[in-house]
């Protein structure tokens, strides 16, 4: 499926690659300053999302290939200063053009697309134990234990699921900063 470069430009504008400030000089000889897309084309060129052709032309009426569109998507994916809604649109385009992006060497794996979908479970447990020895007067011992457990899980792809567990525990009576082991 071919798209025209003007369509690609419109898509790039929708994904927020253009900002409200525009380049001062004309990067392409075939896009006059009074053209409806001049500001957007200039900004996209300044942002490095589009490059045009070696003869300093943009050729906005020429059809482009899916591979050329994937190149623009890859450059938009590299941008870090995009809004959440623009990121969602870029991710949607990346999914559509994943084969071409993979050919370009741009990684679009499920892990990268779903990095924000890691699930976290866990628990915090406090245990207090008091032991009294009735054979000895006033003989008792207390024990305070704290356990913190975090359990992240993520699906890498349909064949791989990753689970992890991180445990941290302490015996509050023994892990004291007081040299005599007393709390105070």
């Amino acid at each position: 499926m071919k798209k025209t470069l003007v369509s690609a430009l419109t898509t790039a504008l929708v994904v927020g690659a253009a900002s409200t400030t525009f380049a001062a000089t004309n990067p392409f000889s075939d896009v006059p300053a009074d053209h409806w897309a001049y500001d957007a084309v200039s900004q996209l060129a300044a942002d490095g999302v589009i490059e045009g052709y070696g003869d300093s032309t943009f050729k906005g009426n020429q059809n482009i290939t899916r591979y050329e569109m994937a190149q623009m998507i890859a450059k938009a994916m590299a941008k870090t200063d995009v809004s959440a809604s623009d990121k969602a649109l870029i991710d949607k385009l990346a999914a559509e053009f994943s084969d071409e992006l993979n050919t370009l060497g741009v990684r679009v794996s499920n892990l990268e697309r779903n990095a924000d979908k890691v699930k976290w479970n866990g628990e915090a447990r406090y245990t207090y134990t008091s032991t009294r020895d009735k054979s000895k007067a006033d003989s008792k011992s207390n024990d305070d234990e704290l356990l913190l457990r975090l359990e992240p899980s993520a699906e890498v792809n349909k064949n791989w699921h990753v689970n992890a567990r991180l445990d941290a525990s302490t015996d509050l009576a023994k892990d004291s900063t007081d040299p005599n082991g007393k709390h105070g």
Side-chain angles (χ1 to χ4, degrees), residues 9 21-35 37-60:
L9 173 64
T21 58
F22 301 111
T25 60
N26 187 347
F28 305 112
S29 61
D30 61 342
V31 182
D34 61 347
H35 190 275
Y38 173 79
D39 288 338
V41 170
S42 297
Q43 185 62 45
L44 289 169
D47 287 347
V49 175
I50 59 172
E51 295 176 6
Y53 293 88
D55 61 355
S56 298
T57 61
F58 180 64
K59 299 182 183 176

Side-chain angles (χ1 to χ4, degrees), residues 3 8 11 64-73 93 97:
K3 296 179 184 238
T11 302
I64 64 169
T65 65
R66 287 183 61 87
Y67 180 80
E68 289 170 319
M69 184 64 186
Q71 288 177 316
M72 288 186 274
I73 294 168
L93 286 169
F97 289 86

Side-chain angles (χ1 to χ4, degrees), residues 94-156:
E96 170 65 29
F97 289 86
S98 63
D99 291 342
E100 291 81 7
L101 288 167
N102 284 331
T103 300
L104 288 170
V106 178
R107 297 185 63 200
V108 193
S109 69
N110 285 339
L111 179 61
E112 291 168 329
R113 282 195 313 261
N114 297 322
D116 59 339
K117 295 183 180 179
V118 174
K119 295 179 183 175
W120 289 89
N121 291 311
E123 66 178 297
R125 186 184 313 163
Y126 171 75
T127 307
Y128 172 79
T129 308
S130 179
T131 308
R132 298 182 190 270
D133 187 350
K134 292 186 179 190
S135 65
K136 297 181 184 176
D138 298 330
S139 175
K140 69 176 183 174
S141 64
N142 296 332
D143 195 22
D144 297 295
E145 295 178 1
L146 182 63
L147 169 71
L148 177 63
R149 176 172 291 155
L150 296 175
E151 297 173 335
S153 65
E155 185 175 328
V156 178

